Amino acid sequence: WCDRRTIMHLFLLLILQATAAIGQIDPAHCRYPLGMEDRRIKDDALKASSQWHETTGPQLNREEGDGAWCPAALPSVSQYLEVDLGRLTFLTVIGTQGRYIRNSGNEFAREYRVNYSRDGKLWKSWRNRQGNEIIEGNKDAYTSVIKDLRPPIVTRYVRLLPVTRLSTTVCMRVELYGCSWDDGLISYSAPEGQRMQPPGYPIANLNDSTYDGVHERGKLFGGLGQLTDGVIGQDDFTRTHEYSVWPGYDYLGWKNDSLEYVEMEFVFDRQRNFTSMKVHSNNMFSRDVKIFSSVSCWFKPHFVWEAEPVEFRTVLDDRNPSARYVTVDLNHRTAKSLRCHFYFADVWMMFSEISFQSGNKHAPAAPSASATPDDGKTPILIGCLVTIILLLVIIIFLILWCQYVCKVLEKTLIKQALVFPTACGGGYAEPDITQCTPHQCFHSNAPHYAETDIVRLQGVTGSNMYAVPALTVDSLTRKDISAAEFPRQQLIFREKLGEGQFGEVHLCEAEGLPEFLGEGSPLPDRDGHSVLVAVKQLRADATSQARNDFLKEIKIMSRLNDPNIIRLLCVCVSSDPLCMVTEYMENGDLNMFLSQREIESTLTHANNIPSVRLTILSDLLHMAVQISSGMKYLASLNFVHRDLATRNCLLDRRLTIKIADFGMSRNLYSSDYYRIQGRAVLPIRWMAWESILLGKFTTASDVWAFGVTLWEIFTLCKEQPYSLLSDEQVIENTGEFFRNQGRQIFLYAPPLCPPSLFELMMRCWSRDIPDRPTFEGLYQALKPHVNQ
Ligand SMILES: *[C@@H]1O[C@H](CO)[C@@H](O)[C@H](O)[C@H]1NC(C)=O
Ligand SMILES: *[C@@H]1O[C@H](CO)[C@@H](O)[C@H](O)[C@H]1NC(C)=O
Ligand SMILES: *[C@@H]1O[C@H](CO)[C@@H](O)[C@H](O)[C@H]1NC(C)=O
Ligand SMILES: *[C@@H]1O[C@H](CO)[C@@H](O)[C@H](O)[C@H]1NC(C)=O
């Protein structure tokens, strides 16, 4: 019961109790949570213009569901969250927070506006005293920001309108603070206030600058303003103070030369039995200002004004220049509207507040949920304060403890994650992502793109390692390494292909390898005696954990046997440094190969640029079929590649493709990976939305990457996917894929690409996993094209 918001609220209360300028309704004390969080405001009192997902509706904007209201924002339409407070309320403070979702939400409203309506029909925009409509909101998704409304609002209905700039998604959680508006006044009318130009003094502008009704022909009507904002004017109106914007700001004032009296009309929400009216007036007689000399008020209980007024004469005071409340006895007359004539006592008459006291005999008001500080709440306040202090002590302990324990935990988790990637909500026991809707994922504490998700992506050499179901790893690692030990001295270093945290990948010549492997071993196409191989080597200073992982990787690799997957040829594990030797293809990778080619034209002929011949389409399709075939094999073993891209497809002279996993360790392709804090990397432009948002890597997310790889092939790798988007925008776009409201940006159809093939790509980028094709399906769909 002493949660964070209550604590903040209490501190606010304590601080603000000391502030000055107290009107009849006291804004400093009228700051009670109106019940968004504790649900005194019922779900059916909440409405929203839209919501981007069923879990982000206004009813769920409490600390559950997705933890916030998020509009399906079209920047051109202003979106709003509407709250019906159930009765007229004096609204003083708005608190906002971003999307919670167990601290992994990332959306919040930087700015918002407020509309309000007393009757639910006529909507008005709130402005602050300077005329500004925009309220500064949150700077992050978790800190709650509490803003005072200056001026406060008298209203029943409130709309919060997040300001959306660019196309970012905003989400809000909201609490409203205030108290019930027991005056029941819904509008007053008055002559427009005037300007006072005393010689030698600054001009005092006595207009009603926060009036929210109509200004017409010198009259104000249909609204409320400075007379009901809870701020009373100072004794000396010629100076500006705390809330004043200019001299005389707090006052509505008139001069006697143009008016015989000041006529004001007050309209209430219902019929009331009035005891009194309190008028806060200035009395700075040295400036020709005095309270009114007398007032006559007429009453309208139903449709007709009663003939008999209540008349009241004041006692004028020429000695004390203080501003004061003048209490006018209204004799328990009943009315829904009141019309009063205030008569001048001097040249000027100035009011800063008017309030009404009425009995609730006729129509009892709803019981007040707000409390005044002196109605027995003090012991509770003290109790809560003591609790706060205790809580603070406990929190400090917790922080110290967590600093230690969390570090240990984090280390363990990261180590585990390196080998056993976790799927949605825990262990990798369920490779079938269709079992897990995003909704469930959010509820099973699935992490967003937190750092731990990313670290798992890196294999020992900093390159990608296949994600393998834990069960499979288990069964594999119980067996011995099936690859043969190759004499290390016969590996001749040619070039460094890349490096990672714990190792390097070298391009080497392997002398005598064909003989070593013997007859029938499928070796890369060779020309002469030497065979090019890729050698992954563990650094000497690698941790023992990295060493274990490396051995596991060898065991896994040694089980792979497919014409379109790079094969492990042999190993050097009898001595340090540990090495694994895999096939390498002399045409390099597909990305390099394609990007150096041009579509055949007269220009390429003239300049002797290697060109893709007219048979280009069938060549490209042939490549696609091979990749789908290799992936089909991995999928059949429930292996997840996690970094499928042209940079990871190696090519021999006959355009045979083998899928590898060196891409991430190569400097050449570092811009294809999104780096977080300099060590974790993600190929975000190839990643399915659920991999980025939920850390889920499955065969279905490999299918997504296959779609992007196809796109690369048919653009001849001339540009990076989404080359016009920054990394941050790509991640934002991922959110749009998740929301699937037509605002996500897809890769365009490459000019070379037949429409049927582009359709296939688009299916790979389906939001819902069952809508994506399987690798078997892709293989079957692509194969016939090649034979045409
Ligand atoms: C907010 O109020 C303004 C009038 O001041 C109105 O034009 C606008 O349509 C309102 N917007 C919403 C969403 O209520
Ligand atoms: C009131 O007077 C100020 C100062 O002259 C002016 O800026 C403002 O627009 C006026 N407001 C209204 C509602 O007339
Ligand atoms: C208004 O209330 C007073 C008591 O508070 C009562 O005496 C009086 O009769 C009421 N007036 C009407 C018109 O009901
Ligand atoms: C109205 O103002 C004039 C000066 O403009 C003053 O002489 C006169 O006494 C004032 N009337 C009242 C009732 O104060």
Side-chain angles (χ1 to χ4, degrees), residues 255-257 260 293 343-348:
K255 199 177 179 185
N256 83 356
D257 56 1
E260 193 193 332
S293 60
Y343 293 90
F344 286 89
D346 208 322
V347 184
W348 287 91

Side-chain angles (χ1 to χ4, degrees), residues 78 80 115 123-125 159 161:
S78 57
Y80 60 81
N115 268 19
W123 289 91
K124 301 171 180 187
S125 308
R159 282 180 181 171
L161 301 87

Side-chain angles (χ1 to χ4, degrees), residues 472-598:
T472 318
V473 173
D474 212 37
S475 71
L476 283 181
T477 47
R478 256 186 258 120
K479 297 176 186 156
D480 285 334
I481 295 172
S482 64
E485 177 82 19
F486 187 71
R488 187 186 296 278
Q489 63 279 7
Q490 282 171 243
L491 292 172
I492 295 149
F493 176 84
R494 276 275 207 84
E495 182 186 322
K496 187 155 108 187
L497 287 176
E499 70 186 306
Q501 201 178 354
F502 295 117
E504 295 181 348
V505 185
H506 294 166
L507 180 64
C508 293
E509 259 174 53
E511 276 181 353
L513 187 62
E515 295 73 25
F516 176 82
L517 291 174
E519 282 300 307
S521 73
L523 258 191
D525 205 25
R526 65 204 153 91
D527 171 23
H529 303 289
S530 64
V531 176
L532 280 180
V533 291
V535 178
K536 240 188 215 185
Q537 180 176 309
L538 192 68
R539 229 175 266 172
D541 60 354
T543 61
S544 64
Q545 179 69 45
R547 203 182 155 85
N548 279 339
D549 292 344
F550 191 78
L551 292 172
K552 270 182 199 145
E553 191 181 348
I554 290 177
K555 288 178 187 173
I556 292 164
M557 282 288 290
S558 68
R559 304 288 148 181
L560 298 180
N561 184 4
D562 183 84
N564 296 114
I565 301 286
I566 280 285
R567 279 165 42 94
L568 181 71
L569 298 172
C570 51
V571 294
C572 315
V573 291
S574 60
S575 61
D576 278 338
L578 302 185
C579 290
M580 63 174 108
V581 180
T582 66
E583 295 175 300
Y584 192 76
M585 325 281 274
E586 56 258 67
N587 255 339
D589 67 75
L590 186 56
N591 188 289
M592 194 122 58
F593 177 81
L594 286 178
S595 61
Q596 287 164 357
R597 268 148 189 84
E598 294 291 339

Side-chain angles (χ1 to χ4, degrees), residues 385-411:
L385 270 179
V386 170
T387 317
I388 290 166
I389 291 166
L390 283 176
L391 274 178
L392 283 178
V393 172
I394 293 170
I395 287 168
I396 289 169
F397 268 110
L398 277 179
I399 289 172
L400 292 175
W401 178 76
C402 203
Q403 272 181 350
Y404 170 72
V405 174
C406 291
K407 249 183 213 159
V408 175
L409 253 177
E410 191 188 24
K411 269 186 194 159

Side-chain angles (χ1 to χ4, degrees), residues 506-710:
H506 294 166
L507 180 64
C508 293
E509 259 174 53
E511 276 181 353
L513 187 62
E515 295 73 25
F516 176 82
L517 291 174
E519 282 300 307
S521 73
L523 258 191
D525 205 25
R526 65 204 153 91
D527 171 23
H529 303 289
S530 64
V531 176
L532 280 180
V533 291
V535 178
K536 240 188 215 185
Q537 180 176 309
L538 192 68
R539 229 175 266 172
D541 60 354
T543 61
S544 64
Q545 179 69 45
R547 203 182 155 85
N548 279 339
D549 292 344
F550 191 78
L551 292 172
K552 270 182 199 145
E553 191 181 348
I554 290 177
K555 288 178 187 173
I556 292 164
M557 282 288 290
S558 68
R559 304 288 148 181
L560 298 180
N561 184 4
D562 183 84
N564 296 114
I565 301 286
I566 280 285
R567 279 165 42 94
L568 181 71
L569 298 172
C570 51
V571 294
C572 315
V573 291
S574 60
S575 61
D576 278 338
L578 302 185
C579 290
M580 63 174 108
V581 180
T582 66
E583 295 175 300
Y584 192 76
M585 325 281 274
E586 56 258 67
N587 255 339
D589 67 75
L590 186 56
N591 188 289
M592 194 122 58
F593 177 81
L594 286 178
S595 61
Q596 287 164 357
R597 268 148 189 84
E598 294 291 339
I599 297 160
E600 194 167 47
S601 69
T602 45
L603 185 77
T604 56
H605 267 309
N607 294 321
N608 211 11
I609 296 172
S611 63
V612 179
R613 302 229 155 259
L614 274 182
T615 54
I616 170 174
L617 203 58
S618 82
D619 282 348
L620 296 181
L621 278 165
H622 181 51
M623 294 168 182
V625 170
Q626 293 182 73
I627 298 171
S628 69
S629 174
M631 290 307 294
K632 179 166 66 90
Y633 173 77
L634 283 185
S636 74
L637 298 175
N638 282 334
F639 281 29
V640 180
H641 189 288
R642 303 202 287 189
D643 192 17
L644 181 59
T646 52
R647 64 181 170 275
N648 268 329
C649 298
L650 304 184
L651 210 67
D652 74 6
R653 235 174 306 152
R654 284 192 243 128
L655 301 187
T656 302
I657 286 188
K658 289 185 187 241
I659 301 168
D661 67 341
F662 311 131
M664 201 177 285
S665 59
R666 299 175 64 180
N667 285 337
L668 185 60
Y669 297 117
S670 62
S671 71
D672 287 346
Y673 297 91
Y674 180 63
R675 247 156 230 286
I676 295 175
Q677 292 188 357
R679 65 185 177 110
V681 290
L682 278 180
I684 51 170
R685 288 162 201 269
W686 282 260
M687 278 164 72
W689 66 266
E690 74 271 10
S691 306
I692 295 181
L693 294 184
L694 309 175
K696 274 182 70 79
F697 293 88
T698 58
T699 299
S701 58
D702 276 352
V703 166
W704 181 295
F706 179 78
V708 182
T709 308
L710 272 185

Side-chain angles (χ1 to χ4, degrees), residues 90-330:
F90 192 74
L91 188 66
T92 51
V93 178
I94 297 182
T96 57
Q97 231 173 328
R99 192 159 78 110
Y100 175 67
I101 184 166
R102 285 173 194 79
N103 288 331
S104 55
N106 202 20
E107 298 86 359
F108 53 93
R110 283 182 193 282
E111 293 175 335
Y112 59 96
R113 291 182 292 132
V114 173
N115 268 19
Y116 61 95
S117 170
R118 289 181 197 117
D119 57 7
K121 295 180 201 108
L122 178 66
W123 289 91
K124 301 171 180 187
S125 308
W126 177 85
R127 288 164 204 277
N128 72 6
R129 297 191 189 278
Q130 281 72 32
N132 209 332
E133 288 185 5
I134 307 262
I135 301 177
E136 244 181 71
N138 298 88
K139 293 201 163 56
D140 56 55
Y142 41 91
T143 316
S144 90
V145 170
I146 291 198
K147 287 284 170 177
D148 275 73
L149 294 172
R150 298 203 173 102
I153 311 173
V154 175
T155 191
R156 174 172 167 181
Y157 302 89
V158 190
R159 282 180 181 171
L160 276 87
L161 301 87
V163 177
T164 39
R165 302 197 198 282
L166 302 169
S167 61
T168 52
T169 305
V170 297
C171 296
M172 306 181 89
R173 275 181 294 153
V174 176
E175 182 60 281
L176 302 169
Y177 300 80
C179 56
S180 75
W181 177 239
D182 293 330
D183 276 35
L185 184 63
I186 53 178
S187 76
Y188 62 77
S189 68
E192 194 95 59
Q194 295 166 353
R195 280 153 70 97
M196 183 196 255
Q197 273 171 290
Y201 283 94
I203 295 172
N205 204 321
L206 304 170
N207 66 5
D208 194 342
S209 57
T210 64
Y211 193 72
D212 61 10
V214 180
H215 298 250
E216 210 175 275
R217 277 180 279 139
K219 248 196 108 183
L220 312 169
F221 58 91
L224 297 175
Q226 283 182 319
L227 296 188
T228 53
D229 67 356
V231 179
I232 57 167
Q234 297 296 290
D235 297 346
D236 183 356
F237 63 89
T238 59
R239 287 187 295 138
T240 57
H241 79 285
E242 192 187 352
Y243 293 114
S244 302
V245 181
W246 53 73
Y249 177 84
D250 298 319
Y251 286 102
L252 181 54
W254 308 270
K255 199 177 179 185
N256 83 356
D257 56 1
S258 55
L259 301 159
E260 193 193 332
Y261 50 81
V262 170
E263 182 180 86
M264 296 185 76
E265 205 174 304
F266 304 93
V267 179
F268 294 83
D269 52 349
R270 58 185 163 82
Q271 211 181 52
R272 283 166 182 263
N273 181 344
F274 289 100
T275 0
S276 59
M277 165 173 75
K278 288 187 175 181
V279 183
H280 190 265
S281 319
N282 190 278
N283 196 45
M284 201 178 180
F285 47 81
S286 58
R287 297 260 96 79
D288 300 331
V289 184
K290 259 196 212 130
I291 64 168
F292 51 94
S293 60
S294 67
V295 60
S296 305
C297 292
W298 285 265
F299 296 83
K300 188 163 86 169
H302 298 288
F303 307 103
V304 192
W305 289 103
E306 290 177 348
E308 186 74 9
V310 166
E311 303 199 348
F312 183 86
R313 288 203 80 76
T314 62
V315 181
L316 295 180
D317 178 356
D318 289 336
R319 304 169 64 161
N320 182 354
S322 303
R324 75 229 19 221
Y325 269 112
V326 180
T327 303
V328 178
D329 207 335
L330 294 177

